[in-house]
């Protein structure tokens, strides 16, 4: 099996009513954890790298790592996705290094901090779509700015996210604007804002509809029933991992993430890609802290990186099962990007908006 495009994976997920976790990586252990989990469950894979991850790992290292993972697990389709591309240049270099999918996050300006205008977002996203589709590569766009409905703040810890405070109109994707955005940009998948944010500190209590607006997803899905929706900031921040980290010397204040049952509700309403990084970071950190605390004399990195990989693998397996992705890898045959490019050129893969107008009018 070769690398596969996001579009092909999400079309398959939509046809078969499941969701796909998209896991962030920046190193070998994370790559192996995801693939071992997928192999044991026969799950298709989306691996994504942020700009920071690409800089950390080095593009050449990263691309060879993905080549190796695909070679080791030839029966698992792997989509390699650029997470939060900030400009056409970032997306172009991702494609140059073999990514089969890119996110152009035009909700923010190229600095990754300042909220952008709607017209800027449409324009920059459309530029990336024209370039990527010519290469057969998929594009995810984002409409609405990710951030907390509780505080109005974005996340600061990852270097990508607005600074300062926003109001609800900017933090919630407008369903009518979503129809216009998909029509004008021709994106393959749409990331939406409805109260999730990156990192561990998403909610100060178990979220309800006031701070996690799942109804926005349902509204958008009614208007755009054929568009694949993406939930960012969708780690669940498991209590047991918070507890292990704190038990072994960590200092994480009590916090709440996105409950898995809310994601499952989203999957029933068009969510096909669910971004998860924090849960895996916490799994890795909890395992490493435990080894350091229990075996202070240990200094072989494998003694803590192996349990770290196993802990991340357990989280990955759990999400593959919870989102319904297990069992599907062997039913997918990857189509090469050169063939996908021809399908885009023929108009076969254009977004189907016509049904949406009727749905919106209902
Ligand atoms: O976009 C958010 C992901 O958690 C990636 O984070 O930019 O620190 O690699 P990062
Ligand atoms: P979390 O921080 O909730 O894992 O979200 C990751 C993400 O959205 C990456 O784009
Ligand atoms: Zn994100």
């Amino acid at each position: 099996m070769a690398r596969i495009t996001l579009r092909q994976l999400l079309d398959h997920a939509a046809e078969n009513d499941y969701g796909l976790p998209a896991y962030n990586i920046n190193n070998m252990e994370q790559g192996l954890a995801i693939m071992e989990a997928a192999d044991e469950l026969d799950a298709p894979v989306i691996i994504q790298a942020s700009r920071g991850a690409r800089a950390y790992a080095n593009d050449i290292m990263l691309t060879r790592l993905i080549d190796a993972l695909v070679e080791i697990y030839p029966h698992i389709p792997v989509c390699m996705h650029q997470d939060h591309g900030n400009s056409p240049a970032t997306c172009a270099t991702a494609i140059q290094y073999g990514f089969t999918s890119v996110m152009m996050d035009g909700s923010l300006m190229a600095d990754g901090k300042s909220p952008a205008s709607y017209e800027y977002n449409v324009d920059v996203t459309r530029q990336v779509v024209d370039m990527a589709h010519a290469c057969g590569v998929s594009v995810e766009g984002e409409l609405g700015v990710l951030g907390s409905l509780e505080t109005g703040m974005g996340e600061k810890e990852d270097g990508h996210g607005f600074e300062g405070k926003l109001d609800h109109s900017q933090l919630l994707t407008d369903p009518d604007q979503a129809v216009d955005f998909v029509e004008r940009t021709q994106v393959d998948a749409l990331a939406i804002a409805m109260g999730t944010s990156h990192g561990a500190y998403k909610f100060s209590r178990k979220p309800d509809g006031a701070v996690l607006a799942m109804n926005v997803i349902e509204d958008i899905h009614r208007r755009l029933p054929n568009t694949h929706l993406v939930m960012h900031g969708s780690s669940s921040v498991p209590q047991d991992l918070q507890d292990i980290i704190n038990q072994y010397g960590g200092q994480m204040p009590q916090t709440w993430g996105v409950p898995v049952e809310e994601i499952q509700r989203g999957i029933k309403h068009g969510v096909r890609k669910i971004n998860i990084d924090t849960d895996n970071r916490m799994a890795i950190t909890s395992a490493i802290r435990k080894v350091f605390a229990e075996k202070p004399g240990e200094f072989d990195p494998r003694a803590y990186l192996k349990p770290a990989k196993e802990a991340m693998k357990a989280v990955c397996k759990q999400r593959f099962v919870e989102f319904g992705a297990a069992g599907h890898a062997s039913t997918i045959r990857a189509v090469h990007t050169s063939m996908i490019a021809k399908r885009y050129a023929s108009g076969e893969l254009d977004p189907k908006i016509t049904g949406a107008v009727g749905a919106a009018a209902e």
Side-chain angles (χ1 to χ4, degrees):
M1 183 76 68
R3 297 186 190 202
I4 191 168
T5 64
L6 183 71
R7 176 64 183 268
Q8 208 196 330
L9 281 188
L10 299 193
D11 282 351
H12 188 271
E15 278 158 27
N16 295 280
D17 298 318
Y18 65 95
L20 274 165
Y23 297 125
N24 288 74
I25 71 162
N26 52 60
N27 70 29
M28 179 188 79
E29 284 75 13
Q30 294 170 317
L32 287 171
I34 296 165
M35 295 307 292
E36 287 175 18
D39 180 44
E40 287 178 24
L41 293 170
D42 187 34
V45 164
I46 303 170
I47 291 177
Q48 55 189 8
S50 65
R51 277 190 296 146
R54 285 177 59 189
Y56 173 82
N58 184 304
D59 279 331
I60 298 170
M61 189 71 79
L62 204 52
T63 195
R64 301 272 160 83
L65 173 63
I66 304 303
D67 282 344
L69 295 174
V70 169
E71 196 174 332
I72 298 167
Y73 297 99
H75 48 293
I76 302 289
V78 178
C79 167
M80 187 62 208
H81 176 80
Q82 168 74 57
D83 192 24
H84 292 286
N86 64 321
S87 66
T90 297
C91 297
T93 55
I95 294 170
Q96 182 184 11
Y97 285 105
F99 285 50
T100 49
S101 179
V102 293
M103 176 186 192
M104 178 60 236
D105 180 355
S107 72
L108 300 174
M109 301 296 288
D111 65 3
K113 292 189 174 82
S114 319
S117 71
Y118 179 63
E119 287 306 322
Y120 169 87
N121 193 355
V122 169
D123 181 52
V124 79
T125 306
R126 180 69 208 217
Q127 280 177 46
V128 170
V129 166
D130 288 344
M131 168 186 68
H133 284 183
C135 306
V137 166
S138 317
V139 180
E140 173 186 336
E142 172 162 330
L143 185 61
V145 181
L146 284 190
S148 163
L149 295 171
E150 273 184 273
T151 63
M153 308 289 281
E155 118 283 3
K156 286 175 294 230
E157 63 192 50
D158 292 333
H160 190 103
F162 70 89
E163 285 179 346
K165 228 174 157 132
L166 293 182
D167 61 43
H168 279 203
S169 68
Q170 291 165 292
L171 294 167
L172 292 171
T173 304
D174 176 86
D176 291 325
Q177 205 172 48
V179 176
D180 184 66
F181 186 80
V182 172
E183 193 160 30
R184 287 171 66 190
T185 61
Q186 307 272 299
V187 287
D188 300 283
L190 180 67
I192 56 180
M194 71 310 176
T196 65
S197 52
H198 293 135
Y201 304 102
K202 301 181 194 302
F203 305 108
S204 64
R205 56 185 161 87
K206 187 169 189 264
D208 56 20
V211 291
L212 179 61
M214 298 301 291
N215 61 311
V216 169
I217 291 178
E218 296 173 4
D219 284 353
I220 294 172
H221 182 57
R222 262 193 295 279
R223 288 168 171 77
L224 288 169
N226 298 306
T227 297
H228 306 310
L229 303 180
V230 182
M231 279 177 71
H232 280 248
S234 290
S235 277
S236 299
V237 196
Q239 189 63 50
D240 59 328
L241 295 180
Q242 293 185 50
D243 292 344
I244 299 172
I245 288 172
N246 287 333
Q247 182 185 346
Y248 293 106
Q251 291 184 356
M252 286 190 71
Q254 178 62 44
T255 180
W256 281 263
V258 182
V260 167
E261 61 269 22
E262 297 295 341
I263 297 170
Q264 289 167 333
R265 178 177 161 197
I267 292 170
K268 291 199 178 82
H269 296 278
V271 171
R272 300 291 160 226
K273 174 173 180 278
I274 302 105
N275 284 15
I276 294 174
D277 187 359
T278 296
D279 285 353
N280 288 330
R281 293 178 179 195
M282 289 176 68
I284 289 169
T285 297
S286 64
I288 291 176
R289 280 196 175 279
K290 187 165 187 293
V291 175
F292 282 179
E294 288 179 347
K295 299 179 185 164
E298 186 58 69
F299 56 84
D300 181 344
R302 290 169 297 187
Y304 52 88
L305 292 178
K306 191 163 188 299
K309 185 188 75 174
E310 292 301 322
M312 173 163 163
K313 177 178 161 185
V315 171
C316 292
K317 284 182 77 170
Q318 202 179 338
R319 299 290 177 264
F320 277 135
V321 171
E322 289 164 339
F323 301 165
H328 288 290
S330 51
T331 66
I332 299 171
R333 296 279 166 273
V335 178
H336 194 265
T337 45
S338 59
M339 301 302 295
I340 303 269
K342 290 198 178 102
R343 290 189 191 173
Y344 281 123
S346 73
E348 190 192 326
L349 297 176
D350 286 354
K352 294 188 182 64
I353 308 281
T354 33
V357 179
E362 274 168 19

